[in-house]
Amino acid sequence: MKKDAVFIFSEEQLGYSFSDTHPFNQKRIVLTLDLLKKTDAISDEDMIVPRIATDEELLLVHDPKFIDIVKRAGQGLISDDVGSVYGIGTEDTPIFPNMHEASAMLVGGTLTAVDEVMEGRAKYALNLGGGLHHGFQGKASGFCVYNDSSVAIKYIQKKYGARVLYIDTDAHHGDGVQWTFYDDPDVCTLSIHETGRYLFPGTGAVTERGNGEGYGTSFNFPIDAFTEDESFLEIYKTAIEEVAAFFKPDVILTQNGADAHFFDPLTHLYGTMKIYEQIPRIAREIADRYCKGRWIAVGGGGYDIWRVVPRAWAHVWFAMKQLPAPTGRLPEQWLDAWQAESPVPFIETWQDPDPLYEPIPRKVEISEKNVQMLERALHMIRSQQ
């Protein structure tokens, strides 16, 4: 019997760990899963153990030399100086033991999600361990070693011959995925992110539209710093609906970074939990409309792992299970289990306090600027109508 949704998880996914002080902390997956369990929103029957990606699968995207360097680095056989040429051994992406195995496990989780959906065992699949969208063909970048989404899309193309719409709502531009498919007309990438003027990786302008046969299949929506919920959701909803209608995908893969929130320490956006309630529900509607429900979701950024990520990522699962967004207090058992470990006081409710921050003086100006950007980004589609 086909399941409505499956949740990909294994404790081996937690092995992707740079250090105890690094901002990328996979404990957020544990916190999210425990929150779902204590909300009675998930059961053992919903969960699937991921497999590890093979070298052959990694080679769909990554250079053999790079894979070899990652393997040797994880065994302590190369120095940071040598590794830094390949993007590892840096401050952002330090070398850690068994780096290859841990990274390949995250890729395998996304491939497991792909097979569950594409082979018809589940309508939707969620792998919160994935979403490492900055990884390149021969170089790690921005906390990302292997790029699970890029490998998964290549895998979908090779095994299932499907057209893929990749949607990235991380506050950082989904550069690694975009450049992998920049000249591919059968993969459409859509990224809504904080403008790269002040934020890593500095790319993702509206003028990045694809190349060659892939021209017109890359869409970027760089929103201004301090963008709030209403403007974010206006851009996102309009963009996803018009791009999906234009591209007509067979399957949707969404990257669900949770770092556009006001509390996130690495970004400058002013989102609240309102956007995280809506983002996955709109994605599900689009998948149901164009792809017979085929929707694969992965994690991504999100660096306030206590107050933001568990609540935000729980909403992806609620959307997949078609459960109403919960209201009121978080489960007392969850709060009691984790508050003592958290360095900050929890937000104890599903919704954020209102107001969460002082009013933004430039709100109208920022919103108008975002609308102008949206018009430029969608001009190519709209000019054909």
Side-chain angles (χ1 to χ4, degrees), residues 72-383:
R72 291 166 57 198
Q75 296 166 2
L77 299 178
I78 68 168
S79 66
D80 285 352
D81 288 343
V82 172
S84 65
V85 175
Y86 297 89
I88 57 177
T90 63
E91 183 178 358
D92 274 358
T93 315
I95 293 171
F96 61 91
N98 299 314
M99 176 179 271
H100 165 77
E101 292 78 9
S103 303
M105 176 60 71
L106 300 190
V107 178
T110 303
L111 297 181
T112 301
V114 165
D115 284 336
E116 289 296 310
V117 170
M118 299 304 291
E119 294 180 8
R121 290 187 291 273
K123 196 173 183 183
Y124 317 120
L126 176 60
N127 176 39
L128 292 176
L132 305 186
H133 59 168
H134 297 308
F136 289 92
Q137 181 178 2
K139 190 172 185 178
S141 176
F143 313 160
C144 306
V145 180
Y146 300 141
N147 192 318
D148 63 288
S149 292
S150 290
V151 174
I153 293 169
K154 287 281 190 181
Y155 180 82
I156 290 170
Q157 290 182 296
K158 180 180 178 181
K159 187 173 181 179
Y160 301 105
R163 285 164 59 84
V164 183
L165 172 58
Y166 171 80
I167 301 168
D168 191 318
T169 50
D170 195 290
H172 301 84
H173 176 229
D175 56 344
V177 183
Q178 172 181 293
W179 300 125
T180 299
F181 300 100
Y182 207 54
D183 59 357
D184 190 333
D186 294 318
V187 177
C188 182
T189 61
L190 185 164
S191 179
I192 176 171
H193 49 269
E194 181 183 335
T195 172
R197 189 176 305 153
Y198 306 112
L199 188 69
F200 175 89
T203 52
V206 295
T207 52
E208 296 168 18
R209 299 184 184 276
N211 186 54
E213 291 185 0
Y215 182 78
T217 59
S218 174
F219 292 90
N220 287 292
F221 301 89
I223 55 180
D224 241 26
F226 310 111
T227 291
E228 299 176 78
D229 293 338
E230 297 86 356
S231 182
F232 185 106
L233 287 171
E234 178 186 9
I235 301 301
Y236 170 72
K237 190 173 190 296
T238 303
I240 190 174
E241 289 185 347
E242 295 197 25
V243 170
F246 162 76
F247 184 70
K248 296 181 175 60
D250 299 315
V251 58
I252 289 175
L253 172 59
T254 65
Q255 196 267 20
N256 294 268
D259 49 2
H261 195 278
F262 171 73
F263 283 147
D264 196 274
L266 301 188
T267 67
H268 315 97
L269 298 177
Y270 271 48
T272 74
M273 209 49 58
K274 291 177 183 177
I275 65 172
Y276 295 111
E277 288 183 18
Q278 293 300 315
I279 285 171
R281 293 179 186 273
I282 294 170
R284 188 195 72 212
E285 291 170 6
I286 294 297
D288 288 347
R289 189 184 311 168
Y290 293 100
C291 309
K292 299 179 181 178
R294 288 187 290 263
W295 171 32
I296 298 134
V298 294
Y303 308 101
D304 189 318
I305 72 166
W306 303 97
R307 296 177 294 184
V308 175
V309 181
R311 291 187 297 156
W313 279 357
H315 280 294
V316 183
W317 183 249
F318 293 142
M320 286 187 166
K321 296 291 284 187
Q322 302 191 51
L323 297 170
T327 59
R329 285 179 63 82
L330 299 174
E332 295 295 339
Q333 284 183 307
W334 187 83
L335 293 169
D336 292 342
W338 298 107
Q339 179 60 86
E341 194 174 335
S342 171
V344 292
F346 276 138
I347 300 296
E348 297 185 350
T349 53
W350 284 101
Q351 285 75 31
D352 286 322
D354 188 13
L356 184 63
Y357 49 79
E358 295 295 322
I360 304 298
R362 295 177 51 243
K363 179 173 183 173
V364 173
E365 177 188 342
I366 290 169
S367 298
E368 289 177 350
K369 191 173 180 181
N370 286 341
V371 169
Q372 292 170 4
M373 174 275 298
L374 177 70
E375 296 291 328
R376 288 183 63 204
L378 293 177
H379 173 73
M380 182 189 67
I381 294 177
R382 292 175 172 178
S383 65

